[in-house]
Amino acid sequence: MSKQELPIVDVGVQVAAEACCAPLVCEPLDEAEATELAPLFKAIADPVRLRLLSLIACHEGGEACVCDLTVAFDLTAPTISHHLKVLKQAGLIDSERRGTWVYYWINPSVLARMSALLSPASALAGTPA
Amino acid sequence: MSKQELPIVDVGVQVAAEACCAPLVCEPLDEAEATELAPLFKAIADPVRLRLLSLIACHEGGEACVCDLTVAFDLTAPTISHHLKVLKQAGLIDSERRGTWVYYWINPSVLARMSALLSPASALAGTPA
DNA sequence: TCTCTAATTTGACAGATATCTATGCACGAG
DNA sequence: CTCGTGCATAGATATCTGTCAAATTAGAGA
C-alpha cells in the first residue's frame, strides 16, 4: 500500500524499441509518432467517414463508385466528396477515374497499422516476443 | 535508461471477445453503429491523447498518476485534465483518487473493440472475387 | 460543336475543439 | 483549523470542422 502512495516519477520510461509498430500498450509513443498517427484516427473519427470506409471495403470488387456511396446518405454530393477527400488525404483510401465514374478502394495496410497500434493489451500479458 | 523489466501487469483484464463486432471490412456499418463508434476514434484522434493513452498503458503497474503525465507535455495541468476527461468519457480509461493523487488506467476491452473493427482487411486484400 | 451527367472545388456559416488563465475542491501535514 | 499541493472546473478565445448552395471540371454522346 505504501508503494502506491509514492509518486514514482519516471516518465522517461523508454522500454527499448524492438518491434516495427509496437502497440500503444508496449511502448510509449513519442511526440513525433503521435503527431503522425493522430490524423489517421481523426480521419475515421466521424460517423459518415466510418460508414464510407466500411461501404467501400465491403463493396463488390473491393471498390465503389461515388454514386454508390452518395445514395447511402442523406447528405449532398459535395459533402460526400469532402469526406472522401479527407479519407484519401489520410491515406486510408485511393481512387481512380474510369470514364464517367470515379472509383474508390481502401488501403488495407494503413488500416492494419492502425489496428495493430490498438491491439490487445493481451500481447503484453503473455507474449514472449 | 536500459530498463528492460516489463511491467507485466494485470490491468482489470477483461478482453472482449473478438467476435463481438465484425470488422469494418466484413459488413457495412449501419448509421447507429457508426454513430456509436466514431466518438471512440475521435477520443484518440489527437496527438496529446494518443500519447496520454500510451503513457498510461505503458506505465509501471498499468496505471499512472496525473502528475506523471503532466510533466511529459509542454501543456498546462488544466489542459491535460481536459484530455483525460475526454478519454474517460469515451470509456477508454478510468480513474480513482487515492489520497493526494489521482490514478488513471486504460480499459483494454474498449481498445480491443476498436482494434478488432479495423482488423485485417486481409479478407479484402486478397479477394479478387 | 453543344448538352447532359458525374464528381469536385469554392465560399460561407454554425457548431465543436484545444488551449489558456483564474478559480474551486479535496486531501495531508502541521 | 489553517495552509500548501494535486487536480478539476469555469469562462474566454482563436481555430478547426461538417454542411450546404453555387460554380467548375471532366467525360459521354448526339
Side-chain angles (χ1 to χ4, degrees), chain B residues 58-111:
Chain B
C58 300
H59 203 270
E60 177 186 343
E63 58 182 24
C65 165
V66 176
C67 57
D68 295 332
L69 302 171
T70 302
V71 298
F73 299 85
D74 278 336
L75 297 169
T76 63
T79 298
I80 299 301
S81 196
H82 160 71
H83 286 300
L84 288 170
K85 186 178 183 182
V86 171
L87 288 171
K88 185 171 180 177
Q89 286 182 333
L92 282 159
I93 59 177
D94 207 346
S95 68
E96 181 188 26
R97 176 172 208 123
R98 287 203 287 275
T100 303
W101 297 282
V102 176
Y103 293 85
Y104 282 84
W105 59 88
I106 76 165
N107 182 347
S109 66
V110 175
L111 222 53

Side-chain angles (χ1 to χ4, degrees), chain B:
Chain B
M1 321 182 168
S2 51
K3 287 217 167 177
Q4 283 195 317
E5 31 160 359
L6 292 179
I8 302 182
V9 287
D10 184 66
V11 254
V13 202
Q14 189 174 357
V15 180
E18 49 209 314
C20 92
C21 21
L24 215 46
V25 294
C26 292
E27 174 185 359
L29 243 48
D30 65 32
E31 191 174 342
E33 288 173 305
T35 301
E36 181 193 350
L37 291 165
L40 295 182
F41 291 104
K42 182 170 287 187
I44 62 169
D46 179 282
V48 175
R49 290 196 292 268
L50 260 187
R51 288 185 63 206
L52 279 173
L53 207 59
S54 180
L55 284 170
I56 294 170
C58 300
H59 203 270
E60 177 186 343
E63 58 182 24
C65 165
V66 176
C67 57
D68 295 332
L69 302 171
T70 302
V71 298
F73 299 85
D74 278 336
L75 297 169
T76 63
T79 298
I80 299 301
S81 196
H82 160 71
H83 286 300
L84 288 170
K85 186 178 183 182
V86 171
L87 288 171
K88 185 171 180 177
Q89 286 182 333
L92 282 159
I93 59 177
D94 207 346
S95 68
E96 181 188 26
R97 176 172 208 123
R98 287 203 287 275
T100 303
W101 297 282
V102 176
Y103 293 85
Y104 282 84
W105 59 88
I106 76 165
N107 182 347
S109 66
V110 175
L111 222 53
R113 183 184 182 197
M114 295 166 75
S115 178
L117 189 81
L118 303 179
S119 81
S122 52
L124 169 132
T127 32

Side-chain angles (χ1 to χ4, degrees), chain A residues 76-94:
Chain A
T76 63
T79 297
I80 298 300
S81 196
H82 160 71
H83 286 302
L84 288 170
K85 188 179 182 180
V86 171
L87 287 171
K88 185 171 180 177
Q89 287 182 333
L92 283 160
I93 59 176
D94 207 347

Side-chain angles (χ1 to χ4, degrees), chain A residues 4-5 9-11 24-25 27-29 31 34 38 41-42 44-47 50-51 53-54 57-58 108 115 118-119, chain B residues 3 24-25 27-29 34 38 41-42 44-45 47 51 54 57-58 68 71-72 98 101 103 111 115 118-119 121 124:
Chain A
Q4 307 220 332
E5 301 284 345
V9 181
D10 188 0
V11 182
L24 215 46
V25 295
E27 174 187 3
L29 244 47
E31 190 174 342
F41 291 104
K42 183 171 285 186
I44 63 169
D46 179 281
L50 260 186
R51 287 185 63 203
L53 207 58
S54 181
C58 300
S115 178
L118 303 181
S119 77
Chain B
K3 287 217 167 177
L24 215 46
V25 294
E27 174 185 359
L29 243 48
F41 291 104
K42 182 170 287 187
I44 62 169
R51 288 185 63 206
S54 180
C58 300
D68 295 332
V71 298
R98 287 203 287 275
W101 297 282
Y103 293 85
L111 222 53
S115 178
L118 303 179
S119 81
L124 169 132

